[in-house]
Amino acid sequence: MNINEICKKVKAASIKLAATESEKKDKALLAIAESLDGHKEEIFKANRADMERSEREGLAAPLLKRLKFDEKKLYEVIDGIRSLAGLPDPVGRTLLSTELDEGLELYKVTCPIGVIGVIF
């Protein structure tokens, strides 16, 4: 499966995920955090390989610094995901409602627009 196919599946899944109850979303976030922690050695090994290849290819020092994914960065990511699971679910909250005319109401409702993980 190539990256384009993966992205299409993610987009399709996001619609279902938006309708999922908060408890399930929080459990999924916590499972992601645990999985990252449980696979840290694999993550670090892959990052070392990326760093070595990038150094050989002459990637600029500031970009190398951003590419490096060490234990400190991993635990910042894990802590961020765990704190995200502790926040109220923002999806589907009504922020504003206005009656435009009799029987015609306008609602401003929050909806998901992003992802929590980025691959670079």
Side-chain angles (χ1 to χ4, degrees), residues 20 27-28 43 48 50-52 55 67 82 90 102-103 115:
T20 301
K27 283 183 181 180
I43 294 168
R48 282 191 298 274
D50 287 344
M51 291 291 295
E52 290 169 6
E55 286 172 359
L67 180 62
R82 287 182 176 145
E102 187 176 323
V115 296

Side-chain angles (χ1 to χ4, degrees), residues 2 4 7 12 29-31 39 43-44 59 69 79-80 87 107:
N2 67 35
N4 287 332
C7 290
L29 289 168
L30 294 174
H39 292 88
I43 294 168
F44 296 146
L59 191 67
F69 197 73
D79 289 343
L87 295 174
Y107 294 93

